[in-house]
Amino acid sequence: MRKFHLTTIWGIPIRVSLSLLIFLPVLAWLISSTAQIEVYAGIVSVLTGTQLDLARLQAGSTPWLVGGAAAIGLFASVALHELGHSYAAMRYGLETESITLWILGGLASFKTIPREWDREFWIAVAGPITSVLVGAVCYAALLLLPANATVVLFVVGWLAVTNIVLAVFNMLPAFPMDGGRVLRALLARNRPYASATRIAARIGTVFAVLFAVVGVLSFSPLLLLLALFIYGAATGESRTVALADLLEGLTVGDVARPATATIEASATVEELVDRMFADRTTEFTVTDGGDVVGVVTVQDFRALSKAEREADSVADLMETDLPRFEETVGAFDALVELDTGGSGAALVDGPSGTRVVSRQDFSSAMEMRRLIGNSGPF
């Protein structure tokens, strides 16, 4: 979904998702409802010892003013929560690429996720700690504000309560929420990181199912959306960590294969088809005067007619804008770049010349590591 740049703090771009811009008026409307104002006015009255004037809060356009200010304040609090994570990461020398505010809260995107349990622990708890501090500051302000500042008292009191609720909710062990990451960090103290991730992810999927059930029973679309997010993120990160674990210690040079199945760029597609049948392979490295220039697979010509196969050359079909890696690049980093760019293969440069690495090569390498263990390059 489209994102808009809001500001930059500590060199970290703060972005706002279109989903949040659409949701903010809805949230303001929900907060401004009579029932919400009555509930939170009662809570603020208990916190301050001063009875808030409900008639004043509900007069004219005041409910919309209260709802809008509270909604904006909430997402400002979420931004501070994510900055808390980012500050802790900076203390460990880790880079935060961006912070995105969206319909379900905020997401701090880190360049790398630390595998040291203590680092992940403190980065994860830094967000809820920040929310508690923001709630405490709002509560202190609540005690200092004059009793006749009804609207300001309500908004500040609402933010005090909501920040504490935000901190508590985020500490639920529903991976990849903060509590789930804390759980993984604690599990990783005495077991492999991949195993800790699998356990935390399974617990996260259980919470996702619970949120979905409650969302259906309470007719809450947000809880259903949260359930989908947790389920997708938990299973996705578990899979990513498993891949990284299988490729740990390997470079893309270890995975790449020699360019044995080659065909000249000037060859016709019909010649390519004949070679595929003869050599029993569906992928060829394309060369031009001995230099590797691309890759061609059976999918590249499957939709062509017989006349087109005879007229077109391999150069017309081959994939040429392939990523290039030095053979010393980590295998997992190369695989991530392939996935990000949507490429099926990449060229690998080294002292012995240019080779090709495909997704199938990564799959074969991971299967070998799974069978023989992660003792090192094979």
Side-chain angles (χ1 to χ4, degrees), residues 52-116:
L52 294 186
D53 187 351
L54 278 176
R56 185 174 176 184
L57 287 172
Q58 295 172 341
S61 60
T62 303
W64 275 103
L65 174 63
V66 167
I72 293 172
L74 171 61
F75 280 92
S77 300
V78 170
L80 291 173
H81 177 105
E82 299 303 323
L83 284 170
H85 290 306
S86 301
Y87 177 77
M90 288 168 58
R91 299 280 293 179
Y92 290 115
L94 301 174
E95 181 182 347
T96 305
E97 294 181 330
S98 66
I99 291 175
T100 301
L101 304 179
W102 68 309
I103 189 170
L104 290 180
L107 291 171
S109 300
F110 299 109
K111 198 163 188 178
T112 56
I113 300 295
R115 289 198 167 205
E116 299 86 356

Side-chain angles (χ1 to χ4, degrees), residues 116-167:
E116 299 86 356
W117 77 267
D118 54 338
R119 292 190 175 194
E120 180 168 35
F121 175 87
W122 288 112
I123 291 172
V125 299
I129 288 173
T130 301
S131 293
V132 170
L133 291 176
V134 172
V137 169
C138 289
Y139 178 69
L142 202 61
L143 300 178
L144 297 174
L145 287 168
N148 61 351
T150 306
V151 172
V152 178
L153 279 170
F154 180 89
V155 173
V156 173
W158 188 88
L159 289 174
V161 173
T162 304
N163 271 280
I164 300 300
V165 172
L166 178 67

Side-chain angles (χ1 to χ4, degrees), residues 29-43 54 58 63 154 158:
W29 172 72
L30 291 172
I31 297 171
S32 66
S33 67
T34 300
Q36 286 286 310
I37 288 180
E38 289 178 353
V39 168
Y40 281 97
I43 295 174
L54 278 176
Q58 295 172 341
F154 180 89
W158 188 88

